[in-house]
Amino acid sequence: TNLLFSVDGTSLVNNKHRPRKDMRDSYVAVVEKLREITNPNIKYTFRMTVSNYSVIYMQECVSAFRDLGINNIQIEPLMPFEEKRVFYEPLYSEFAERYIETKYEYKDINVESSFDVLENNSMGYCGHQLGNIVSIFPNGVVTSCPERPINSEYIRGVSRNGKLSLSPNLMENRGLKQCGECVISNLCLGICPSKITLFQEKNMDPDYMCDLYRAIFIKHIKKIVEQNKLRQYNSFAYDIVSKKLLYVAD
């Protein structure tokens, strides 16, 4: 059994992101409930949403989560809204920088993001970003976040008040216009078409996601070079499937 808790950080962050009506400490409330669960077969994941305010506390929060015994931490940026609010999306470059530093600092636990195409595994989908949008496939599968790649058409649905309404239009996984020129187009595969549609409907810019995908990928490659003490003029091959450095040559 896997339980996912939406916790954006320690009290300093979580109480600002997720304030309670009774003004009690929302982070402490989660920790207290966590300690009540004694089943050793239950695995926990903390999903941390990062904003322009909380991005500087990323490592500090992950350290606190690890001290609680949390070994799976999913870090996602707050998605851009139509207009800026008190909290909004972090700069993609700062998120990427701090995410990679945090991931490599805490190698003893599983730190992931759905925007990390190089080392993303099966920890979870990004359904939280899609809200009440679902995708319905011809074989009857209904999911909040389609797996990538998608080779078939599907129907978009929206869940409201316990009822599911379907869009009459079928959509295809066409990706974005700039995908063919992108360094990670073979990994990203046009992102998730549901997410692209959501952004377009709310007048959001999908380029934010593209910039973030690429920035995290490039930071990863730089870490690989640094950790293997490779010079900038070395030629090397890195297998993204086995996650191994294959060879290095001057």
Side-chain angles (χ1 to χ4, degrees), residues 2-4 43-48 70-76 99 103 109-114 116 119-126 128:
N2 292 293
L3 291 180
L4 185 143
K43 297 181 179 179
Y44 309 101
T45 297
F46 272 17
R47 184 189 187 279
M48 182 168 66
I70 305 300
N71 295 318
N72 295 305
I73 302 173
Q74 184 178 356
I75 304 177
E76 306 292 349
Y99 167 75
K103 184 178 182 67
I109 60 175
N110 188 31
V111 177
E112 286 193 357
S113 173
S114 64
D116 188 352
E119 297 212 4
N120 200 4
N121 60 35
S122 59
M123 190 174 76
Y125 296 114
C126 58
H128 300 277

Side-chain angles (χ1 to χ4, degrees), residues 30-245:
V30 172
V31 173
E32 290 176 348
K33 292 298 181 182
L34 184 65
R35 288 171 176 164
E36 293 178 5
I37 303 173
T38 58
N39 189 334
N41 296 319
I42 295 179
K43 297 181 179 179
Y44 309 101
T45 297
F46 272 17
R47 184 189 187 279
M48 182 168 66
T49 299
V50 177
S51 71
N52 61 307
Y53 164 76
S54 65
V55 65
I56 62 173
Y57 302 110
M58 189 183 296
Q59 285 197 25
E60 177 182 329
C61 294
V62 169
S63 177
F65 294 165
R66 185 183 64 171
D67 291 343
L68 289 174
I70 305 300
N71 295 318
N72 295 305
I73 302 173
Q74 184 178 356
I75 304 177
E76 306 292 349
L78 183 64
M79 290 289 96
F81 292 102
E82 296 177 50
E83 58 185 33
K84 297 298 182 185
R85 304 181 182 180
V86 176
F87 302 121
Y88 48 89
E89 74 279 4
L91 292 173
Y92 74 86
S93 55
E94 185 176 8
F95 180 94
E97 180 74 33
R98 294 185 181 276
Y99 167 75
I100 291 297
E101 290 299 324
T102 302
K103 184 178 182 67
Y104 279 82
E105 175 70 21
Y106 298 99
K107 281 189 169 184
D108 56 323
I109 60 175
N110 188 31
V111 177
E112 286 193 357
S113 173
S114 64
F115 287 88
D116 188 352
V117 296
L118 188 59
E119 297 212 4
N120 200 4
N121 60 35
S122 59
M123 190 174 76
Y125 296 114
C126 58
H128 300 277
Q129 297 172 357
L130 294 176
N132 59 345
I133 291 179
V134 298
S135 297
I136 304 170
F137 291 84
N139 61 0
V141 172
V142 179
T143 173
S144 62
C145 184
E147 294 184 56
R148 295 171 294 182
I150 301 170
N151 296 317
S152 61
E153 293 182 329
Y154 67 98
I155 298 175
R156 177 184 177 278
V158 179
S159 176
R160 292 190 180 93
N161 300 321
K163 296 182 180 180
L164 182 66
S165 59
L166 304 180
S167 169
N169 299 321
L170 292 173
M171 297 185 298
E172 297 178 354
N173 185 23
R174 295 184 294 270
L176 300 174
K177 293 180 179 179
Q178 65 267 35
C179 287
E181 302 175 357
C182 180
V183 67
I184 58 168
S185 59
N186 64 316
L187 297 174
C188 177
L189 297 172
I191 322 177
C192 169
S194 284
K195 193 183 294 184
I196 294 174
T197 302
L198 176 65
F199 268 51
Q200 291 172 340
E201 285 182 353
K202 294 189 176 183
N203 296 318
M204 299 177 182
D205 185 3
D207 287 345
Y208 176 82
M209 294 186 293
C210 295
D211 290 336
L212 186 52
Y213 276 117
R214 284 191 291 266
I216 291 178
F217 176 80
I218 292 171
K219 295 292 183 184
H220 256 308
I221 294 299
K222 288 183 177 179
K223 277 291 184 182
I224 293 168
V225 171
E226 290 174 3
Q227 290 197 346
N228 290 275
K229 298 180 180 179
L230 304 178
R231 291 171 293 178
Q232 291 185 354
Y233 53 83
N234 283 149
S235 295
F236 70 95
Y238 181 80
D239 187 340
I240 61 175
V241 177
S242 64
K243 301 175 184 177
K244 293 181 179 179
L245 193 66

